[in-house]
Amino acid sequence: MGNKKNKSAFISDALDQRKREHRFRSLSDIEVDSSSVKIIFEEKEYINFSSNDYLGLRSHPDLIKRSNEFASKYGVGSGASRLVTGNFSIHTDLENKLAKIFDGEAAILFNSGFQANTSILPAVADRNSLILADKKIHNSLIQGSLLSRATLKRFDHNNYDDLEQCLIDAEKGSYNRISIVSETVFSMDGDRNDIDRLIELSNKYDALLYSDDAHALGVLGSHGLGLNYGKEGIDISLGTFGKSFGSFGAFALCSQEMKDYLINFASGFIYSTALPPNVIGAIDAGLDLIPTLDKERDQLLNNVSYLRNQIQQLGLETAGSDSQIIPVVTERK
Ligand SMILES: Cc1ncc(COP(=O)(O)O)c(C=O)c1O
């Protein structure tokens, strides 16, 4: 017993280190009502500048109504993966509606953006592949890349000369395929990629293009349909419903062939219970609403540029923010 190791020591060691580095994460309870703007924390009211519910749809009556209707009609769970008995016609109808509105050949639902990114990348890349990813992509895309076991190379943020050099170097390798991974609006800095340049490079070097549109959707692009909208040559366009859509879940726009492939090879799609009907109802109502909210988007973007200007006038740095995401940079490492 004397030299038996404490099997849990790594936990307290890691937590202590986090605390020493002032990087310890903990959950704070907030009081919420249906307002998307105000939150109460420790009995004090605050304006919420930190949520992704950019249009306040989380509590929109249309979404709540259709969510309730779908729950009453179809129940609050789907009961199985879609490949078993969870494929209700409402899932297929929603996918068809998404494909139609976004002018895509096909759409496929996932249970969250994180789940989509960690399921799709391991399906399209394997240990013989190369993934070229922007240095500032979201953690879910990094995790998906790592899970795929592909060689992962990070190109300098939005630096397409660096990306092209990686593509040229890759031609000397023996990769079975190359994927380029980026985000239209970067989740931390709020700056944008150059989607046209990415399409050009992916075409030139015959690489798959994976563009995550999570934060542009609902806010930017024609009628809020995102910055991937209307662009030919994106193999996977990823959208989420937990942000501007005010609900939960995700979808990929792709070719019908890619959709068939993902149904067969994306493990997060195959082995997970399908989105529940109430969530499908909320997404469906959000999809009807979002293209009609041009006035609200103008207001949002006016507020955003006012806020960004004011922050900058205080002498604070807002990185490359060119969207509703405005970081206030207090320390650069
Ligand atoms: C760019 C990006 N992709 C995906 C996700 C994950 O989406 P979800 O919250 O639906 O899991 C996030 C979450 O913040 C994100 O910023």
Side-chain angles (χ1 to χ4, degrees):
M1 287 300 274
N3 59 1
K4 189 178 171 208
K5 279 195 189 158
N6 175 354
K7 69 178 180 186
S8 305
F10 77 97
I11 299 175
S12 49
D13 288 352
L15 292 178
D16 286 346
Q17 185 173 348
R18 278 268 151 122
K19 284 176 187 158
R20 277 197 305 278
E21 292 169 350
H22 305 288
R23 294 196 305 127
F24 183 73
R25 292 180 163 109
S26 63
L27 299 170
S28 312
D29 282 348
I30 54 164
E31 282 173 50
V32 282
D33 53 20
S34 63
S35 160
S36 294
V37 178
K38 291 189 176 138
I39 51 175
I40 296 168
F41 177 60
E42 291 176 348
E43 290 172 24
K44 213 169 148 197
E45 192 174 285
Y46 293 87
I47 299 175
N48 185 359
F49 278 99
S50 299
S51 95
N52 300 315
D53 180 18
Y54 303 123
L55 297 167
L57 296 195
R58 186 181 74 78
S59 49
H60 194 285
D62 289 9
L63 272 73
I64 294 173
K65 184 164 175 271
R66 204 165 309 166
S67 176
N68 288 338
E69 280 167 9
F70 274 43
S72 307
K73 213 162 160 191
Y74 308 105
V76 292
S78 54
S81 151
R82 292 181 62 191
L83 282 158
V84 186
T85 57
N87 190 39
F88 300 2
S89 57
I90 51 173
H91 295 97
T92 308
D93 290 347
L94 179 60
E95 287 176 336
N96 291 338
K97 188 167 168 174
L98 283 161
K100 190 158 179 237
I101 290 178
F102 285 90
D103 290 335
E105 196 179 308
I108 174 167
L109 293 170
F110 283 87
N111 289 358
S112 73
F114 199 99
Q115 191 225 29
N117 287 338
T118 51
S119 303
I120 299 174
L121 283 164
V124 298
D126 62 26
R127 63 175 78 238
N128 298 313
S129 311
L130 173 67
I131 294 179
L132 297 173
D134 189 286
K135 270 201 179 140
K136 289 203 176 168
I137 52 167
H138 188 256
N139 183 273
S140 54
L141 293 162
I142 299 172
Q143 297 304 327
S145 304
L146 294 174
L147 270 173
S148 75
R149 301 184 201 180
T151 302
L152 170 61
K153 284 196 185 150
R154 315 282 296 273
F155 59 91
D156 288 343
H157 180 50
N158 276 345
N159 182 334
Y160 302 112
D161 291 337
D162 191 29
L163 171 61
E164 183 154 24
Q165 192 54 55
C166 292
L167 288 159
I168 292 167
D169 293 346
E171 287 185 327
K172 294 176 215 134
S174 53
Y175 300 109
N176 60 2
R177 74 196 79 98
I178 301 169
S179 301
I180 299 172
V181 181
S182 182
E183 288 168 31
T184 52
V185 169
F186 287 88
S187 62
M188 296 304 292
D189 283 18
D191 54 348
R192 306 180 189 194
N193 70 14
D194 180 344
I195 192 66
D196 294 321
R197 190 77 208 283
L198 285 165
I199 291 171
E200 188 190 309
L201 287 172
S202 69
N203 284 337
K204 186 169 169 190
Y205 293 92
D206 198 27
L208 286 167
L209 179 57
Y210 192 115
S211 180
D212 185 329
D213 215 10
H215 292 281
L217 212 60
V219 178
L220 299 168
S222 171
H223 301 299
L225 295 177
L227 295 173
N228 284 341
Y229 177 67
K231 305 285 179 186
E232 291 283 325
I234 302 172
D235 297 285
I236 306 267
S237 168
L238 204 279
T240 57
F241 300 121
K243 306 187 194 301
S244 288
F245 271 79
S247 176
F248 189 67
F251 70 108
L253 288 164
C254 54
S255 66
Q256 181 59 48
E257 189 179 39
M258 178 68 87
K259 177 173 175 176
D260 293 341
Y261 179 80
L262 294 174
I263 291 172
N264 280 276
F265 294 99
S267 55
F269 180 90
I270 301 169
Y271 299 106
S272 188
T273 303
L275 284 171
N278 50 321
V279 170
I280 299 289
I283 298 169
D284 191 57
L287 197 51
D288 289 339
L289 207 55
I290 280 186
T292 70
L293 299 178
D294 282 345
K295 223 171 77 209
E296 287 77 1
R297 269 184 286 277
D298 285 348
Q299 174 74 53
L300 170 65
L301 293 175
N302 281 338
N303 292 349
V304 161
S305 69
Y306 175 78
L307 178 66
R308 195 189 301 111
N309 282 339
Q310 295 296 310
I311 293 172
Q312 286 169 350
Q313 275 177 27
L314 290 172
L316 296 167
E317 201 199 316
T318 56
S321 167
D322 187 16
S323 70
Q324 76 284 7
I325 297 175
I326 311 174
V328 177
V329 183
T330 53
E331 190 186 355
R332 271 255 185 247
K333 288 211 172 129

mmCIF file of all heavy atoms in Angstrom, residues 92-136:
data_model
loop_
_atom_site.group_PDB
_atom_site.id
_atom_site.type_symbol
_atom_site.label_atom_id
_atom_site.label_comp_id
_atom_site.label_asym_id
_atom_site.label_seq_id
_atom_site.Cartn_x
_atom_site.Cartn_y
_atom_site.Cartn_z
ATOM 1 N N THR A 92 -36.546 15.516 -42.222
ATOM 2 C CA THR A 92 -36.313 15.574 -43.674
ATOM 3 C C THR A 92 -36.902 16.864 -44.260
ATOM 4 O O THR A 92 -36.273 17.519 -45.091
ATOM 5 C CB THR A 92 -36.958 14.338 -44.344
ATOM 6 O OG1 THR A 92 -36.495 13.177 -43.649
ATOM 7 C CG2 THR A 92 -36.595 14.232 -45.805
ATOM 8 N N ASP A 93 -38.097 17.230 -43.802
ATOM 9 C CA ASP A 93 -38.715 18.465 -44.313
ATOM 10 C C ASP A 93 -37.827 19.674 -44.006
ATOM 11 O O ASP A 93 -37.649 20.562 -44.848
ATOM 12 C CB ASP A 93 -40.094 18.693 -43.672
ATOM 13 C CG ASP A 93 -41.116 17.673 -44.150
ATOM 14 O OD1 ASP A 93 -40.830 16.970 -45.147
ATOM 15 O OD2 ASP A 93 -42.186 17.557 -43.513
ATOM 16 N N LEU A 94 -37.270 19.690 -42.794
ATOM 17 C CA LEU A 94 -36.412 20.827 -42.422
ATOM 18 C C LEU A 94 -35.150 20.851 -43.293
ATOM 19 O O LEU A 94 -34.727 21.921 -43.754
ATOM 20 C CB LEU A 94 -36.049 20.759 -40.932
ATOM 21 C CG LEU A 94 -35.139 21.879 -40.427
ATOM 22 C CD1 LEU A 94 -35.770 23.261 -40.609
ATOM 23 C CD2 LEU A 94 -34.779 21.670 -38.956
ATOM 24 N N GLU A 95 -34.573 19.703 -43.541
ATOM 25 C CA GLU A 95 -33.383 19.667 -44.392
ATOM 26 C C GLU A 95 -33.706 20.167 -45.807
ATOM 27 O O GLU A 95 -32.935 20.926 -46.403
ATOM 28 C CB GLU A 95 -32.817 18.243 -44.451
ATOM 29 C CG GLU A 95 -32.136 17.847 -43.149
ATOM 30 C CD GLU A 95 -31.632 16.410 -43.128
ATOM 31 O OE1 GLU A 95 -32.167 15.566 -43.885
ATOM 32 O OE2 GLU A 95 -30.719 16.122 -42.355
ATOM 33 N N ASN A 96 -34.855 19.744 -46.321
ATOM 34 C CA ASN A 96 -35.234 20.193 -47.668
ATOM 35 C C ASN A 96 -35.467 21.705 -47.693
ATOM 36 O O ASN A 96 -35.092 22.396 -48.643
ATOM 37 C CB ASN A 96 -36.484 19.453 -48.146
ATOM 38 C CG ASN A 96 -36.180 17.983 -48.399
ATOM 39 O OD1 ASN A 96 -35.027 17.602 -48.605
ATOM 40 N ND2 ASN A 96 -37.207 17.133 -48.370
ATOM 41 N N LYS A 97 -36.066 22.199 -46.613
ATOM 42 C CA LYS A 97 -36.337 23.645 -46.537
ATOM 43 C C LYS A 97 -35.025 24.433 -46.449
ATOM 44 O O LYS A 97 -34.857 25.468 -47.092
ATOM 45 C CB LYS A 97 -37.197 23.878 -45.288
ATOM 46 C CG LYS A 97 -37.752 25.273 -45.122
ATOM 47 C CD LYS A 97 -38.831 25.217 -44.034
ATOM 48 C CE LYS A 97 -39.261 26.596 -43.585
ATOM 49 N NZ LYS A 97 -40.392 26.542 -42.655
ATOM 50 N N LEU A 98 -34.068 23.903 -45.665
ATOM 51 C CA LEU A 98 -32.755 24.555 -45.543
ATOM 52 C C LEU A 98 -32.063 24.595 -46.903
ATOM 53 O O LEU A 98 -31.534 25.631 -47.315
ATOM 54 C CB LEU A 98 -31.879 23.784 -44.549
ATOM 55 C CG LEU A 98 -32.175 24.000 -43.059
ATOM 56 C CD1 LEU A 98 -31.580 22.875 -42.222
ATOM 57 C CD2 LEU A 98 -31.627 25.351 -42.595
ATOM 58 N N ALA A 99 -32.069 23.461 -47.596
ATOM 59 C CA ALA A 99 -31.401 23.397 -48.904
ATOM 60 C C ALA A 99 -32.047 24.408 -49.854
ATOM 61 O O ALA A 99 -31.347 25.104 -50.596
ATOM 62 C CB ALA A 99 -31.487 21.984 -49.466
ATOM 63 N N LYS A 100 -33.363 24.513 -49.796
ATOM 64 C CA LYS A 100 -34.067 25.422 -50.716
ATOM 65 C C LYS A 100 -33.723 26.880 -50.387
ATOM 66 O O LYS A 100 -33.332 27.654 -51.270
ATOM 67 C CB LYS A 100 -35.568 25.177 -50.567
ATOM 68 C CG LYS A 100 -36.378 25.861 -51.589
ATOM 69 C CD LYS A 100 -37.742 25.215 -51.759
ATOM 70 C CE LYS A 100 -38.488 26.015 -52.798
ATOM 71 N NZ LYS A 100 -39.746 26.531 -52.347
ATOM 72 N N ILE A 101 -33.835 27.256 -49.131
ATOM 73 C CA ILE A 101 -33.603 28.656 -48.750
ATOM 74 C C ILE A 101 -32.149 29.062 -48.992
ATOM 75 O O ILE A 101 -31.865 30.167 -49.440
ATOM 76 C CB ILE A 101 -34.028 28.887 -47.279
ATOM 77 C CG1 ILE A 101 -35.554 28.808 -47.196
ATOM 78 C CG2 ILE A 101 -33.512 30.217 -46.732
ATOM 79 C CD1 ILE A 101 -36.150 28.956 -45.823
ATOM 80 N N PHE A 102 -31.224 28.150 -48.719
ATOM 81 C CA PHE A 102 -29.803 28.488 -48.871
ATOM 82 C C PHE A 102 -29.265 28.152 -50.270
ATOM 83 O O PHE A 102 -28.054 28.230 -50.489
ATOM 84 C CB PHE A 102 -28.973 27.766 -47.800
ATOM 85 C CG PHE A 102 -29.114 28.390 -46.434
ATOM 86 C CD1 PHE A 102 -30.106 27.973 -45.566
ATOM 87 C CD2 PHE A 102 -28.284 29.421 -46.033
ATOM 88 C CE1 PHE A 102 -30.254 28.552 -44.309
ATOM 89 C CE2 PHE A 102 -28.419 30.009 -44.783
ATOM 90 C CZ PHE A 102 -29.415 29.572 -43.910
ATOM 91 N N ASP A 103 -30.171 27.771 -51.184
ATOM 92 C CA ASP A 103 -29.754 27.432 -52.553
ATOM 93 C C ASP A 103 -28.680 26.358 -52.577
ATOM 94 O O ASP A 103 -27.751 26.414 -53.392
ATOM 95 C CB ASP A 103 -29.184 28.665 -53.299
ATOM 96 C CG ASP A 103 -30.255 29.676 -53.613
ATOM 97 O OD1 ASP A 103 -31.430 29.273 -53.705
ATOM 98 O OD2 ASP A 103 -29.914 30.874 -53.740
ATOM 99 N N GLY A 104 -28.762 25.410 -51.667
ATOM 100 C CA GLY A 104 -27.770 24.325 -51.649
ATOM 101 C C GLY A 104 -28.374 23.096 -52.302
ATOM 102 O O GLY A 104 -29.592 22.970 -52.426
ATOM 103 N N GLU A 105 -27.500 22.174 -52.699
ATOM 104 C CA GLU A 105 -28.035 20.939 -53.285
ATOM 105 C C GLU A 105 -28.701 20.102 -52.194
ATOM 106 O O GLU A 105 -29.769 19.527 -52.388
ATOM 107 C CB GLU A 105 -26.881 20.169 -53.930
ATOM 108 C CG GLU A 105 -27.345 19.091 -54.896
ATOM 109 C CD GLU A 105 -26.147 18.383 -55.522
ATOM 110 O OE1 GLU A 105 -25.243 19.064 -56.060
ATOM 111 O OE2 GLU A 105 -26.117 17.139 -55.449
ATOM 112 N N ALA A 106 -28.050 20.049 -51.013
ATOM 113 C CA ALA A 106 -28.599 19.246 -49.911
ATOM 114 C C ALA A 106 -28.187 19.849 -48.577
ATOM 115 O O ALA A 106 -27.222 20.619 -48.492
ATOM 116 C CB ALA A 106 -28.069 17.811 -50.004
ATOM 117 N N ALA A 107 -28.944 19.511 -47.544
ATOM 118 C CA ALA A 107 -28.595 19.925 -46.181
ATOM 119 C C ALA A 107 -28.721 18.707 -45.279
ATOM 120 O O ALA A 107 -29.557 17.832 -45.518
ATOM 121 C CB ALA A 107 -29.521 21.031 -45.696
ATOM 122 N N ILE A 108 -27.885 18.659 -44.253
ATOM 123 C CA ILE A 108 -27.946 17.544 -43.297
ATOM 124 C C ILE A 108 -27.835 18.107 -41.879
ATOM 125 O O ILE A 108 -26.977 18.949 -41.603
ATOM 126 C CB ILE A 108 -26.863 16.473 -43.609
ATOM 127 C CG1 ILE A 108 -26.844 15.390 -42.525
ATOM 128 C CG2 ILE A 108 -25.491 17.059 -43.808
ATOM 129 C CD1 ILE A 108 -26.037 14.147 -42.899
ATOM 130 N N LEU A 109 -28.738 17.666 -41.007
ATOM 131 C CA LEU A 109 -28.790 18.182 -39.633
ATOM 132 C C LEU A 109 -27.782 17.473 -38.732
ATOM 133 O O LEU A 109 -27.538 16.278 -38.890
ATOM 134 C CB LEU A 109 -30.193 17.955 -39.043
ATOM 135 C CG LEU A 109 -31.352 18.733 -39.665
ATOM 136 C CD1 LEU A 109 -32.676 18.206 -39.123
ATOM 137 C CD2 LEU A 109 -31.201 20.224 -39.385
ATOM 138 N N PHE A 110 -27.261 18.220 -37.796
ATOM 139 C CA PHE A 110 -26.442 17.646 -36.718
ATOM 140 C C PHE A 110 -26.962 18.187 -35.394
ATOM 141 O O PHE A 110 -27.705 19.159 -35.363
ATOM 142 C CB PHE A 110 -24.957 18.018 -36.915
ATOM 143 C CG PHE A 110 -24.305 17.196 -37.986
ATOM 144 C CD1 PHE A 110 -24.376 17.594 -39.316
ATOM 145 C CD2 PHE A 110 -23.649 16.017 -37.680
ATOM 146 C CE1 PHE A 110 -23.811 16.828 -40.319
ATOM 147 C CE2 PHE A 110 -23.076 15.238 -38.680
ATOM 148 C CZ PHE A 110 -23.150 15.642 -39.997
ATOM 149 N N ASN A 111 -26.566 17.539 -34.302
ATOM 150 C CA ASN A 111 -27.149 17.907 -33.011
ATOM 151 C C ASN A 111 -26.556 19.165 -32.397
ATOM 152 O O ASN A 111 -27.156 19.751 -31.497
ATOM 153 C CB ASN A 111 -27.039 16.743 -32.032
ATOM 154 C CG ASN A 111 -27.988 15.622 -32.440
ATOM 155 O OD1 ASN A 111 -28.725 15.752 -33.402
ATOM 156 N ND2 ASN A 111 -27.968 14.522 -31.705
ATOM 157 N N SER A 112 -25.382 19.563 -32.831
ATOM 158 C CA SER A 112 -24.813 20.862 -32.413
ATOM 159 C C SER A 112 -23.677 21.169 -33.371
ATOM 160 O O SER A 112 -23.216 20.292 -34.119
ATOM 161 C CB SER A 112 -24.280 20.800 -30.970
ATOM 162 O OG SER A 112 -23.082 20.051 -30.932
ATOM 163 N N GLY A 113 -23.197 22.409 -33.305
ATOM 164 C CA GLY A 113 -22.059 22.771 -34.142
ATOM 165 C C GLY A 113 -20.825 21.983 -33.734
ATOM 166 O O GLY A 113 -20.043 21.543 -34.575
ATOM 167 N N PHE A 114 -20.657 21.829 -32.433
ATOM 168 C CA PHE A 114 -19.489 21.082 -31.945
ATOM 169 C C PHE A 114 -19.549 19.648 -32.459
ATOM 170 O O PHE A 114 -18.558 19.103 -32.963
ATOM 171 C CB PHE A 114 -19.460 21.102 -30.404
ATOM 172 C CG PHE A 114 -18.102 20.777 -29.845
ATOM 173 C CD1 PHE A 114 -17.247 21.785 -29.422
ATOM 174 C CD2 PHE A 114 -17.669 19.463 -29.764
ATOM 175 C CE1 PHE A 114 -15.981 21.483 -28.929
ATOM 176 C CE2 PHE A 114 -16.407 19.157 -29.273
ATOM 177 C CZ PHE A 114 -15.564 20.164 -28.855
ATOM 178 N N GLN A 115 -20.735 19.067 -32.355
ATOM 179 C CA GLN A 115 -20.876 17.674 -32.804
ATOM 180 C C GLN A 115 -20.643 17.562 -34.317
ATOM 181 O O GLN A 115 -20.030 16.603 -34.790
ATOM 182 C CB GLN A 115 -22.266 17.158 -32.423
ATOM 183 C CG GLN A 115 -22.422 15.663 -32.599
ATOM 184 C CD GLN A 115 -23.721 15.310 -33.280
ATOM 185 O OE1 GLN A 115 -24.252 16.082 -34.079
ATOM 186 N NE2 GLN A 115 -24.254 14.143 -32.957
ATOM 187 N N ALA A 116 -21.154 18.551 -35.070
ATOM 188 C CA ALA A 116 -20.969 18.514 -36.528
ATOM 189 C C ALA A 116 -19.481 18.564 -36.876
ATOM 190 O O ALA A 116 -18.980 17.754 -37.662
ATOM 191 C CB ALA A 116 -21.713 19.682 -37.173
ATOM 192 N N ASN A 117 -18.777 19.523 -36.257
ATOM 193 C CA ASN A 117 -17.361 19.680 -36.613
ATOM 194 C C ASN A 117 -16.514 18.487 -36.187
ATOM 195 O O ASN A 117 -15.550 18.136 -36.858
ATOM 196 C CB ASN A 117 -16.812 20.977 -36.006
ATOM 197 C CG ASN A 117 -17.337 22.199 -36.750
ATOM 198 O OD1 ASN A 117 -17.751 22.107 -37.905
ATOM 199 N ND2 ASN A 117 -17.341 23.341 -36.095
ATOM 200 N N THR A 118 -16.896 17.866 -35.079
ATOM 201 C CA THR A 118 -16.115 16.707 -34.635
ATOM 202 C C THR A 118 -16.583 15.406 -35.299
ATOM 203 O O THR A 118 -16.014 14.343 -35.052
ATOM 204 C CB THR A 118 -16.165 16.543 -33.094
ATOM 205 O OG1 THR A 118 -17.520 16.576 -32.673
ATOM 206 C CG2 THR A 118 -15.395 17.638 -32.396
ATOM 207 N N SER A 119 -17.625 15.489 -36.107
ATOM 208 C CA SER A 119 -18.090 14.298 -36.825
ATOM 209 C C SER A 119 -17.750 14.356 -38.315
ATOM 210 O O SER A 119 -17.429 13.334 -38.919
ATOM 211 C CB SER A 119 -19.615 14.165 -36.729
ATOM 212 O OG SER A 119 -20.031 14.130 -35.413
ATOM 213 N N ILE A 120 -17.866 15.560 -38.871
ATOM 214 C CA ILE A 120 -17.681 15.654 -40.329
ATOM 215 C C ILE A 120 -16.198 15.550 -40.703
ATOM 216 O O ILE A 120 -15.832 14.818 -41.627
ATOM 217 C CB ILE A 120 -18.296 16.965 -40.877
ATOM 218 C CG1 ILE A 120 -19.805 17.003 -40.585
ATOM 219 C CG2 ILE A 120 -18.033 17.077 -42.379
ATOM 220 C CD1 ILE A 120 -20.487 18.316 -40.956
ATOM 221 N N LEU A 121 -15.342 16.270 -39.961
ATOM 222 C CA LEU A 121 -13.917 16.246 -40.331
ATOM 223 C C LEU A 121 -13.320 14.841 -40.263
ATOM 224 O O LEU A 121 -12.610 14.431 -41.187
ATOM 225 C CB LEU A 121 -13.124 17.257 -39.486
ATOM 226 C CG LEU A 121 -13.311 18.707 -39.950
ATOM 227 C CD1 LEU A 121 -12.839 19.694 -38.893
ATOM 228 C CD2 LEU A 121 -12.562 18.947 -41.268
ATOM 229 N N PRO A 122 -13.626 14.055 -39.200
ATOM 230 C CA PRO A 122 -13.097 12.683 -39.203
ATOM 231 C C PRO A 122 -13.706 11.802 -40.298
ATOM 232 O O PRO A 122 -13.163 10.740 -40.608
ATOM 233 C CB PRO A 122 -13.481 12.151 -37.811
ATOM 234 C CG PRO A 122 -13.717 13.360 -36.987
ATOM 235 C CD PRO A 122 -14.270 14.389 -37.927
ATOM 236 N N ALA A 123 -14.830 12.243 -40.862
ATOM 237 C CA ALA A 123 -15.402 11.463 -41.972
ATOM 238 C C ALA A 123 -14.720 11.800 -43.297
ATOM 239 O O ALA A 123 -14.552 10.926 -44.148
ATOM 240 C CB ALA A 123 -16.914 11.720 -42.075
ATOM 241 N N VAL A 124 -14.334 13.064 -43.462
ATOM 242 C CA VAL A 124 -13.761 13.444 -44.769
ATOM 243 C C VAL A 124 -12.228 13.345 -44.803
ATOM 244 O O VAL A 124 -11.625 13.445 -45.868
ATOM 245 C CB VAL A 124 -14.213 14.857 -45.228
ATOM 246 C CG1 VAL A 124 -15.711 14.907 -45.420
ATOM 247 C CG2 VAL A 124 -13.749 15.954 -44.283
ATOM 248 N N ALA A 125 -11.613 13.184 -43.629
ATOM 249 C CA ALA A 125 -10.144 13.062 -43.617
ATOM 250 C C ALA A 125 -9.756 11.833 -42.805
ATOM 251 O O ALA A 125 -10.461 11.436 -41.879
ATOM 252 C CB ALA A 125 -9.527 14.311 -42.982
ATOM 253 N N ASP A 126 -8.639 11.237 -43.175
ATOM 254 C CA ASP A 126 -8.147 10.095 -42.401
ATOM 255 C C ASP A 126 -6.637 10.232 -42.201
ATOM 256 O O ASP A 126 -6.055 11.271 -42.521
ATOM 257 C CB ASP A 126 -8.532 8.760 -43.062
ATOM 258 C CG ASP A 126 -7.920 8.598 -44.449
ATOM 259 O OD1 ASP A 126 -6.848 9.205 -44.713
ATOM 260 O OD2 ASP A 126 -8.494 7.880 -45.285
ATOM 261 N N ARG A 127 -5.999 9.164 -41.719
ATOM 262 C CA ARG A 127 -4.584 9.289 -41.354
ATOM 263 C C ARG A 127 -3.682 9.588 -42.553
ATOM 264 O O ARG A 127 -2.527 9.973 -42.394
ATOM 265 C CB ARG A 127 -4.105 8.036 -40.600
ATOM 266 C CG ARG A 127 -4.162 6.771 -41.402
ATOM 267 C CD ARG A 127 -3.565 5.598 -40.634
ATOM 268 N NE ARG A 127 -4.481 5.081 -39.624
ATOM 269 C CZ ARG A 127 -4.191 5.012 -38.335
ATOM 270 N NH1 ARG A 127 -3.030 5.445 -37.891
ATOM 271 N NH2 ARG A 127 -5.053 4.514 -37.492
ATOM 272 N N ASN A 128 -4.194 9.413 -43.758
ATOM 273 C CA ASN A 128 -3.378 9.720 -44.950
ATOM 274 C C ASN A 128 -3.689 11.093 -45.544
ATOM 275 O O ASN A 128 -3.220 11.438 -46.626
ATOM 276 C CB ASN A 128 -3.603 8.639 -46.017
ATOM 277 C CG ASN A 128 -3.168 7.287 -45.518
ATOM 278 O OD1 ASN A 128 -2.076 7.158 -44.966
ATOM 279 N ND2 ASN A 128 -4.027 6.286 -45.666
ATOM 280 N N SER A 129 -4.526 11.848 -44.841
ATOM 281 C CA SER A 129 -4.960 13.151 -45.380
ATOM 282 C C SER A 129 -4.187 14.297 -44.726
ATOM 283 O O SER A 129 -3.521 14.118 -43.708
ATOM 284 C CB SER A 129 -6.451 13.371 -45.099
ATOM 285 O OG SER A 129 -7.220 12.258 -45.466
ATOM 286 N N LEU A 130 -4.372 15.464 -45.333
ATOM 287 C CA LEU A 130 -3.795 16.692 -44.773
ATOM 288 C C LEU A 130 -4.930 17.682 -44.526
ATOM 289 O O LEU A 130 -5.784 17.883 -45.395
ATOM 290 C CB LEU A 130 -2.785 17.295 -45.761
ATOM 291 C CG LEU A 130 -2.206 18.670 -45.393
ATOM 292 C CD1 LEU A 130 -1.320 18.586 -44.139
ATOM 293 C CD2 LEU A 130 -1.399 19.245 -46.566
ATOM 294 N N ILE A 131 -4.940 18.273 -43.332
ATOM 295 C CA ILE A 131 -5.901 19.344 -43.051
ATOM 296 C C ILE A 131 -5.106 20.631 -42.854
ATOM 297 O O ILE A 131 -4.189 20.686 -42.020
ATOM 298 C CB ILE A 131 -6.740 19.029 -41.790
ATOM 299 C CG1 ILE A 131 -7.637 17.810 -42.055
ATOM 300 C CG2 ILE A 131 -7.598 20.232 -41.397
ATOM 301 C CD1 ILE A 131 -8.492 17.379 -40.872
ATOM 302 N N LEU A 132 -5.451 21.639 -43.630
ATOM 303 C CA LEU A 132 -4.820 22.954 -43.490
ATOM 304 C C LEU A 132 -5.848 23.873 -42.853
ATOM 305 O O LEU A 132 -6.890 24.160 -43.447
ATOM 306 C CB LEU A 132 -4.391 23.483 -44.858
ATOM 307 C CG LEU A 132 -3.320 22.638 -45.567
ATOM 308 C CD1 LEU A 132 -3.088 23.134 -46.990
ATOM 309 C CD2 LEU A 132 -2.007 22.677 -44.767
ATOM 310 N N ALA A 133 -5.568 24.286 -41.629
ATOM 311 C CA ALA A 133 -6.570 25.035 -40.871
ATOM 312 C C ALA A 133 -6.026 26.395 -40.448
ATOM 313 O O ALA A 133 -4.855 26.506 -40.047
ATOM 314 C CB ALA A 133 -6.966 24.234 -39.633
ATOM 315 N N ASP A 134 -6.862 27.388 -40.531
ATOM 316 C CA ASP A 134 -6.493 28.726 -40.050
ATOM 317 C C ASP A 134 -6.121 28.641 -38.564
ATOM 318 O O ASP A 134 -6.736 27.903 -37.798
ATOM 319 C CB ASP A 134 -7.686 29.678 -40.237
ATOM 320 C CG ASP A 134 -7.323 31.122 -39.972
ATOM 321 O OD1 ASP A 134 -7.140 31.499 -38.790
ATOM 322 O OD2 ASP A 134 -7.232 31.886 -40.948
ATOM 323 N N LYS A 135 -5.135 29.440 -38.159
ATOM 324 C CA LYS A 135 -4.652 29.361 -36.766
ATOM 325 C C LYS A 135 -5.711 29.762 -35.753
ATOM 326 O O LYS A 135 -5.595 29.449 -34.584
ATOM 327 C CB LYS A 135 -3.419 30.246 -36.593
ATOM 328 C CG LYS A 135 -2.150 29.487 -36.885
ATOM 329 C CD LYS A 135 -0.918 30.122 -36.275
ATOM 330 C CE LYS A 135 0.300 29.269 -36.615
ATOM 331 N NZ LYS A 135 1.472 30.038 -36.947
ATOM 332 N N LYS A 136 -6.758 30.456 -36.186
ATOM 333 C CA LYS A 136 -7.736 30.922 -35.187
ATOM 334 C C LYS A 136 -9.074 30.206 -35.262
ATOM 335 O O LYS A 136 -10.085 30.730 -34.788
ATOM 336 C CB LYS A 136 -7.920 32.434 -35.327
ATOM 337 C CG LYS A 136 -6.698 33.184 -34.850
ATOM 338 C CD LYS A 136 -6.991 34.600 -34.455
ATOM 339 C CE LYS A 136 -5.737 35.253 -33.890
ATOM 340 N NZ LYS A 136 -5.873 36.692 -33.753
#
